[in-house]
Amino acid sequence: MGRRQNVTLHEETIALIKEYQEQHHIRYPGEALDRMIEEWEKQKSKDHSQEYLMSLMAQRFKDVFSEEMKRLRLAANRSDKNTQVLLELMNGFAMDQNLENCVTTPIFESPAMKDAREAVEERISHQRQKRISATETQPASS
């Protein structure tokens, strides 16, 4: 049962209540206010449910991909370290040999460079196949 309450409202608020009454075929302003508040509470509850669902999804995404991201980060760090070591070695070699010019691989690729490139490509392909095989043999997680 409703309770009588005297309130002061802005003209805009009164207009909105009247508009709601007309749209929903409601006779009394108090009933319109009750329904408006009920809808607002439902929406608020729905918003909280959506926020909770989004947080669960974000956590699941993090759980699934965090290990893979860690592996990628470590691989990138190893590659960067190896590249820096090679640059230092090549610089030392160039200094030792008093090299002033460099013939780049687009101009001429030596047989040694070709062998090294093929060995690296084969190693990468082999690692990829191992990773694919390991993924295929793992039981599906839920």
Side-chain angles (χ1 to χ4, degrees), residues 59-76:
Q59 185 60 45
R60 179 71 175 139
F61 183 84
K62 180 181 173 189
D63 293 346
V64 168
F65 291 106
S66 65
E67 187 61 32
E68 189 64 28
M69 292 303 292
K70 180 180 176 183
R71 287 180 50 214
L72 288 172
R73 191 170 45 255
L74 291 173

Side-chain angles (χ1 to χ4, degrees), residues 7-137:
V7 294
T8 304
L9 301 172
H10 294 289
E11 290 298 323
E12 299 87 20
T13 305
I14 294 169
L16 286 173
I17 293 170
K18 285 183 180 181
E19 181 181 331
Y20 188 90
Q21 280 180 262
E22 291 171 7
Q23 287 177 353
H24 294 87
H25 309 291
I26 299 172
R27 187 171 179 185
Y28 301 107
E31 185 181 345
L33 274 174
D34 284 342
R35 290 208 13 215
M36 291 169 80
I37 291 170
E38 187 178 309
E39 288 177 11
W40 176 75
E41 286 177 337
K42 283 181 185 176
Q43 183 61 42
K44 193 168 78 168
S45 175
K46 183 179 175 185
D47 290 347
H48 287 300
S49 296
Q50 288 174 342
E51 285 177 27
Y52 177 70
L53 182 60
M54 289 298 287
S55 70
L56 286 178
M57 290 171 59
Q59 185 60 45
R60 179 71 175 139
F61 183 84
K62 180 181 173 189
D63 293 346
V64 168
F65 291 106
S66 65
E67 187 61 32
E68 189 64 28
M69 292 303 292
K70 180 180 176 183
R71 287 180 50 214
L72 288 172
R73 191 170 45 255
L74 291 173
N77 288 344
R78 273 194 309 275
S79 294
D80 183 51
K81 178 181 172 186
N82 292 339
T83 301
Q84 289 182 40
V85 168
L86 285 172
L87 286 172
E88 293 297 328
L89 286 170
M90 292 307 296
N91 187 55
F93 178 76
M95 294 294 293
D96 184 56
Q97 298 296 314
N98 291 323
L99 296 177
E100 294 183 19
N101 296 315
C102 176
V103 178
T104 61
T105 52
I107 296 171
F108 176 77
E109 184 175 44
S110 70
M113 181 65 178
K114 184 177 180 181
D115 290 345
R117 183 179 41 77
E118 288 172 356
V120 168
E121 287 172 356
E122 187 176 317
R123 186 179 312 128
I124 290 170
S125 176
H126 179 70
Q127 289 296 332
R128 185 179 301 129
Q129 287 301 322
K130 279 176 51 177
R131 196 168 41 250
I132 290 169
S133 295
T135 304
E136 290 173 350
T137 59

